[in-house]
Amino acid sequence: MSGFGRAACVALQGLAGVGVQIEVHASSGLPRVHVVGLPDRAVQQAQHRTWSAIARMGVTAPSGKVVINLTPASLPKAGTHFDLAMAVAVLRAIGVVPADDGSTALVGELGLDGRLRPVAGTLPLARAAAGFGLTRIVVPTASVDEASLVEGLRVLGAPSLAHAAALLGADIDPEPVEPVPAAAATPRSHTDLDLADVVGNREAVQALEIAAAGAHHLMMVGPPGAGKTMLAMRLPGILPPLDTDAALEVASLRSLAGEPAPPTLDAVPPFEHPHHSATAVSLIGGGSGTIRPGAAARATHGVLFLDEAPEFPRAVLDMLRQPLESGTITIHRAAGVATFPARFQLLLAANPCPCGLFGTGDCSCAPQQRRRYFGRLSGPLLDRVDLQVRVDRVAPGSEGERRTTAAASASVAAARARAARRLEGTGWAAMGHVPGPWLRRNLPLDRSLLEPLERAVERGALTMRGMDRAIRVAWTAADLDDAATPTRAHIGRALALRKGIPA
């Protein structure tokens, strides 16, 4: 006896998806299952989960030769999310589930008891399915809320293989089962912090506001206890809220990384804070099977904060240079190539020396030790950091006027609106994203305004790239002051905000 079945699924390469058709041919012959189409170990092992789940339905699985082909056969397939599609294709091959028009994607992992378990990456899988023109997707019950974030896609939840088969037209009456629950989403700790908690350090607060208004990269240097981390954790609160597309992209990256997705889109920009022991894979992304996004990709549309930056391995830090320029990360592995978005704001914090006390009067580090300490941060990386400020300890009783998150976010939103009008039609939303050649060609400044920057270039204090970045900071400072164009004072402020590293 011979039978043929087909089901649709999706394979991911980064956030991009590729449609996969799973074909099953069941025929008489020696009892053996062949899984072909470049499956990884998890996909190969799916045959055991599939046969056990079919048996739990009370259905007899094919006992002869079964060939399961995942097309396109030249694309490596990785992950357990193919389980449901493989099982349905087998059920169609033996006539239990009727054939459909190929408009339904099937995503989910099978347990031996036949229940469906949620998988990492459900949201990008659903987005990819909708992009291929598929109109329905069947997912585990626990993943319904996540997949429903995609507009224009009908989402069907099933607690088990039997329930999925019934949804697809099988003439069976599945027994009620307890769905596998979804993991609880981790609360984000930076969403309720107020900038008014910061005492003193007016220059650092202003630099943080400029960074938020122009999407500029920022480095803060100061002794322990000066408030660098406190300032950094309040940056997402003054950034503009994410639009729907950005929030969906952020949620997709977090889903792909295996984090539980929230029931609704989160408009607060992400904040990634990896430890200085982080490896290149954890920061940039990778993996031996499915290529997962690292902290830099998960910080897209938000902030990547590297505390104690000189303690990170220099080779790891230098891997950020390319995404800082291009806004994307491309990872090459033997299993394939994956590209992730990486349009983040880099926020660095560092002590002024190994002991951390340089500038306080109690430092015992020699000048050579300080140079060696900051030498771990390469010149090309620091040249891409627009703002470099000193953060000093605050003396007792130095209250002063405090800037609230509400006031700062209002100023940032107004400055972003001015920049957006200036950059309308370019695809850039903030001055920190504008390339230098376009800036000089389309927003030229009077030569007399640029004299301080040109002198800094002649002295070697700035590179030409650093000069472009200083001009962008000056435009952002002008936007915050509601000025039509930068003035000499704005140029001077931009130049002063690149002197945070101690000599």
Side-chain angles (χ1 to χ4, degrees), residues 42-418:
V43 180
Q44 289 176 340
Q45 293 174 347
Q47 59 174 296
H48 305 295
R49 297 189 292 271
T50 298
W51 258 244
S52 178
I54 291 175
R56 292 284 296 181
M57 290 175 56
V59 175
T60 302
S63 58
K65 178 182 177 181
V66 179
V67 179
I68 302 176
N69 180 38
L70 291 80
T71 63
S74 59
L75 176 73
K77 318 298 187 307
T80 58
H81 68 276
F82 292 103
D83 287 9
L84 177 58
M86 292 172 67
V88 169
V90 171
L91 292 174
R92 284 177 173 154
I94 60 177
V96 174
V97 176
D100 68 354
D101 57 1
S103 63
T104 303
L106 304 165
V107 171
E109 177 186 326
L110 285 172
L112 296 182
D113 58 358
R115 291 193 299 171
L116 286 170
R117 301 175 180 275
V119 294
T122 296
L123 180 55
L125 288 166
R127 291 179 69 195
F132 300 140
L134 302 183
T135 59
R136 293 196 310 173
I137 186 170
V138 179
V139 298
T141 301
S143 301
V144 169
D145 288 343
E146 183 175 345
S148 297
L149 296 175
V150 181
E151 293 184 358
L153 191 65
R154 184 185 175 197
V155 180
L156 303 176
S160 69
L161 175 59
H163 286 80
L167 288 173
L168 296 171
D171 186 16
I172 57 174
D173 185 16
E175 295 182 3
V177 296
E178 185 70 24
V180 176
T186 304
R188 300 168 70 184
S189 60
H190 65 279
T191 56
D192 57 351
L193 302 176
D194 199 295
L195 193 59
D197 298 333
V198 178
V199 178
N201 274 313
R202 182 180 177 185
E203 182 178 302
V205 172
Q206 290 177 343
L208 198 73
E209 198 167 327
I210 291 175
H216 300 289
H217 308 305
L218 169 66
M219 180 171 184
M220 297 180 289
V221 180
K228 302 185 294 295
T229 302
M230 191 177 191
L231 282 161
M233 294 186 70
R234 281 150 181 79
L235 177 56
I238 64 176
L239 289 174
L242 302 179
D243 59 28
T244 301
D245 289 340
L248 196 58
E249 190 169 62
V250 169
S252 296
L253 287 163
R254 305 189 86 82
S255 174
L256 190 57
E259 298 182 24
T264 58
L265 289 178
D266 192 349
V268 178
F271 182 81
E272 290 292 325
H273 184 188
H275 190 261
H276 58 73
S277 62
T279 63
V281 171
S282 64
L283 189 63
I284 300 299
S288 57
T290 302
I291 301 177
R292 301 293 187 192
R298 297 195 303 272
T300 292
H301 304 300
V303 179
L304 177 63
F305 176 45
L306 304 184
D307 201 4
E308 305 292 347
E311 301 296 337
F312 282 78
R314 177 167 176 165
V316 173
L317 289 176
D318 280 345
M319 288 185 178
L320 294 174
R321 286 156 52 179
Q322 183 264 339
L324 285 176
E325 290 292 330
S326 66
T328 60
I329 292 176
T330 301
I331 301 170
H332 295 260
R333 294 290 186 269
V337 179
T339 299
F340 300 106
R343 181 67 72 184
F344 56 85
Q345 276 186 260
L346 180 62
L347 194 53
L348 304 173
N351 293 326
C353 64
C355 77
L357 300 177
F358 179 71
T360 66
D362 298 322
C363 178
S364 59
C365 301
Q368 184 178 3
Q369 288 178 292
R370 294 198 299 271
R371 287 193 295 271
R372 188 182 305 117
Y373 181 70
F374 272 98
R376 301 175 189 176
L377 303 174
S378 68
L381 176 64
L382 291 178
D383 199 37
R384 290 167 167 84
V385 179
D386 305 351
L387 307 170
Q388 301 169 9
V389 297
R390 172 83 187 191
V391 182
D392 293 312
R393 288 176 177 170
V394 179
S398 56
E399 284 286 330
E401 184 181 354
R402 298 193 190 185
R403 185 74 161 161
T404 65
T405 291
S409 60
S411 295
V412 167
R416 287 276 186 123
R418 296 183 191 102

